[in-house]
Amino acid sequence: MTTCTEVVTSSDSYKDIMPRTTKINYGIGDFGNNIIWHTMGIWLAYFYTDVYGLSASHVAVMYLMLRIFDAITDPLVGLLVDRTRTKHGSCRPFILYGTIPLAITFIMLFYTPDLGETGKLVYAYVSFSLLTLAYTLVNVPFSAMAGFLTRDSDERTMLQSFRFGLGMLASVFVSYSTLSLVGLFGQGNDQQGFFYTAVVFALLIVGCLYYCFFTVKEVYPAPALKNDEKMGLKDLIGSIKEAFNNQQLVILFLGNILFFIILTLKATPTVYYVKEVLIDAEHMMTTFITWGTVGATLGAALSGLMWTRFDKVRAYKILMFVCGVLTAIPYWLPGDAFSSILILGTVVSFLSLSMVPLIWSMLSDVVDYQVTLTGKNMSGLFFALFLFTLKVGLGVGGALALWIMGETGYVANIAQQTPEVVESINFISTLLPGILFIVAGMIMMFYTLDKEKRAEIKLKLYGE
């Protein structure tokens, strides 16, 4: 197998082209990460309300509270990555030692203890908090590792395209298999079914992340720490302030907080949307979810091929507005227009997930831009802050959806919801995310690291 190191040390290293095997192996790691992300995005809210037995309002508050916890842990882990120098590199040690705790806490998340309402709520907070911490310890360095694999902006886009293309295959797998596995393991007991399904998923998570660890090496090691960089946690606030002096990071940060809120806002009520808004479509649940994830997978996988021939920044901005319009249209369609809604949803999934590799590629560009401003490589902290935007999306998007449903009177496991509940589910699944897409697109109009600017940065840093 050809390794990254062999390519970079060859005489033609200036092209900085990674072998395809490296991109695939990195993507396999994200297959494991995305099993967690997609299971939480699609099934966790439904599990908590209709299987575990919590109220939608309680779940909404929990989602928000745990994002406050993330606000502390994400930058801490990012700072730790920036201060780590080992024989395995700066990022890979976290994957090595964090994968098993991540798998265990994922299993804990879908265990239903034999406790009263208060005890179950406490257990949900504890297990969700532990998973959040473990996910941070693995995913922040995993994401930051991309910046240590190549310095070429287009190659970064291709790398992220492979990453999210293979990662989204996990979404297809989770979408297609979850209900079948729950039925197989539970035999009518959904609590038992979800638990053993989580065990199977956890084994896959471990296999994928360890495969990535052993097959992907950090090609460009972080430079030795200077004396003034060997700092403790007391300097974290100063580092964050320095990061946010980078205006392009702030714009990317704000735009993508909204972007990830949108994705979660659309994903969280999917099960409820099929059950309550679409007419006689509950038996098509797996089909509806799977088609969306197939579209998303193709979008992520083809992103590099579609958008590297153009300026990825311009493409990203246009896609925001297009997705906004297409997302909102189903709000006005009748509930029996299943085929039309399915097609529109699949197209939006394709386009919106084709943007995700562009986002992470742009973040690596902003890291380089920061080096030109301050002389410091703050990759770990930047990716930690950016992963925080993703988790804010999971928290705020999920909490907002569940809060609206709870306030309008959603009750789990009843034959028919009120018209107000059905309307609220339709609104948070279509019109609201459509509006937010437009707002995010307007914010990103102020992002200026276009193709010409990126070429200037690369020339200044690497003389290429």
Side-chain angles (χ1 to χ4, degrees):
M1 181 181 294
T2 302
T3 66
C4 286
T5 303
E6 290 168 342
V7 171
V8 171
T9 56
S10 70
S11 60
D12 192 28
S13 63
Y14 288 103
K15 293 294 291 182
D16 203 10
I17 303 299
M18 287 183 292
R20 184 171 297 177
T21 51
T22 299
K23 299 171 186 175
I24 292 173
N25 295 341
Y26 186 63
I28 288 173
D30 208 47
F31 187 99
N33 286 325
N34 217 35
I35 288 176
I36 299 171
W37 179 252
H38 192 72
T39 303
M40 291 171 64
I42 292 292
W43 295 109
L44 186 59
Y46 173 77
F47 170 78
Y48 274 145
T49 59
D50 288 46
V51 178
Y52 191 87
L54 299 179
S55 71
S57 298
H58 278 153
V59 179
V61 172
M62 180 170 63
Y63 273 35
L64 282 178
M65 291 294 290
L66 291 179
R67 298 292 72 81
I68 296 174
F69 180 60
D70 270 347
I72 300 171
T73 60
D74 279 20
L76 285 175
V77 174
L79 186 67
L80 187 59
V81 171
D82 285 335
R83 303 295 177 264
T84 298
R85 304 289 187 272
T86 74
K87 65 180 182 180
H88 297 304
S90 298
C91 305
R92 294 171 65 240
F94 295 89
I95 301 173
L96 176 63
Y97 298 113
T99 293
I100 297 299
L102 178 62
I104 291 172
T105 53
F106 180 74
I107 294 171
M108 289 174 60
L109 190 71
F110 288 95
Y111 174 70
T112 303
D114 186 15
L115 300 171
E117 182 178 354
T118 301
K120 289 173 71 175
L121 184 60
V122 170
Y123 178 84
Y125 267 89
V126 171
S127 58
F128 203 167
S129 298
L130 290 174
L131 176 66
T132 297
L133 178 59
Y135 189 81
T136 297
L137 284 169
V138 172
N139 212 256
V140 167
F142 177 86
S143 299
M145 189 164 63
F148 294 89
L149 301 181
T150 179
R151 292 170 174 169
D152 185 85
S153 182
D154 286 342
E155 277 295 286
R156 287 170 177 170
T157 302
M158 291 300 298
L159 175 66
Q160 297 296 348
S161 187
F162 272 84
R163 170 193 174 181
F164 286 102
L166 286 165
M168 287 307 299
L169 281 179
S171 301
V172 176
F173 168 73
V174 169
S175 299
Y176 184 77
S177 66
T178 297
L179 288 181
S180 297
L181 290 174
V182 169
L184 174 65
F185 293 129
Q187 297 297 311
N189 183 340
D190 283 353
Q191 291 181 351
Q192 176 178 295
F194 268 99
F195 174 75
Y196 285 111
T197 298
V199 172
V200 172
F201 287 175
L203 292 174
L204 288 171
I205 292 164
V206 171
C208 290
L209 284 171
Y210 275 148
Y211 180 82
C212 177
F213 171 82
F214 286 110
T215 59
V216 179
K217 313 297 181 183
E218 295 177 31
V219 179
Y220 297 100
L225 292 172
K226 301 176 183 177
N227 289 332
D228 62 349
E229 290 180 315
K230 295 177 180 178
M231 55 180 68
L233 299 181
K234 65 180 182 179
D235 298 285
L236 177 61
I237 294 176
S239 295
I240 293 175
K241 287 182 178 179
E242 186 174 8
F244 280 106
N245 286 331
N246 185 329
Q247 186 181 48
Q248 296 305 301
L249 175 67
V250 173
I251 295 169
L252 200 60
F253 191 87
L254 293 176
N256 288 289
I257 283 180
L258 271 182
F259 179 75
F260 290 124
I261 286 174
I262 293 164
L263 294 187
T264 310
L265 191 62
K266 284 170 56 59
T268 299
T270 299
V271 176
Y272 308 102
Y273 181 77
V274 176
K275 290 178 63 176
E276 309 298 344
V277 178
L278 301 184
I279 297 173
D280 296 328
E282 189 169 353
H283 65 289
M284 299 294 287
M285 180 78 70
T286 297
T287 299
F288 188 88
I289 296 175
T290 301
W291 269 101
T293 53
V294 168
T297 301
L298 290 174
L302 296 175
S303 176
L305 295 176
M306 291 189 297
W307 308 130
T308 51
R309 67 186 64 186
F310 308 107
D311 182 2
K312 62 184 176 184
V313 174
R314 179 176 174 80
Y316 181 78
K317 294 173 181 178
I318 293 172
L319 287 169
M320 279 286 193
F321 292 103
V322 172
C323 286
V325 174
L326 296 180
T327 299
I329 289 175
Y331 178 76
W332 292 281
L333 296 179
D336 58 358
F338 181 85
S339 297
S340 298
I341 293 172
L342 178 64
I343 292 170
L344 280 169
T346 302
V347 171
V348 170
S349 294
F350 176 86
L351 294 177
S352 60
L353 264 295
S354 77
M355 288 190 278
V356 173
L358 303 184
I359 297 170
W360 292 97
S361 176
M362 284 190 280
L363 182 58
S364 292
D365 298 335
V366 174
V367 170
D368 283 351
Y369 180 56
Q370 180 73 11
V371 177
T372 67
L373 296 176
T374 67
K376 294 181 180 179
N377 187 315
M378 303 175 71
S379 177
L381 181 60
F382 274 36
F383 276 90
L385 292 171
F386 212 62
L387 187 60
F388 173 64
T389 70
L390 186 149
K391 292 181 180 178
V392 167
L394 176 63
V396 175
L400 182 59
L402 291 165
W403 178 79
I404 293 174
M405 288 171 54
E407 288 298 303
T408 53
Y410 176 81
V411 179
N413 298 315
I414 62 173
Q416 186 172 354
Q417 302 290 338
T418 65
E420 291 78 13
V421 171
V422 175
E423 168 62 19
S424 72
I425 294 173
N426 189 24
F427 173 70
I428 60 181
S429 301
T430 57
L431 185 57
L432 180 56
I435 293 170
L436 294 179
F437 261 128
I438 302 297
V439 175
M442 293 172 66
I443 291 173
M444 288 302 298
M445 295 301 293
F446 296 94
Y447 183 83
T448 60
L449 296 186
D450 56 17
K451 195 168 186 176
E452 290 74 19
K453 182 65 175 179
R454 295 195 303 273
E456 291 177 13
I457 293 170
K458 186 177 180 183
L459 181 64
K460 184 175 181 180
L461 292 180
Y462 312 121
E464 301 174 30

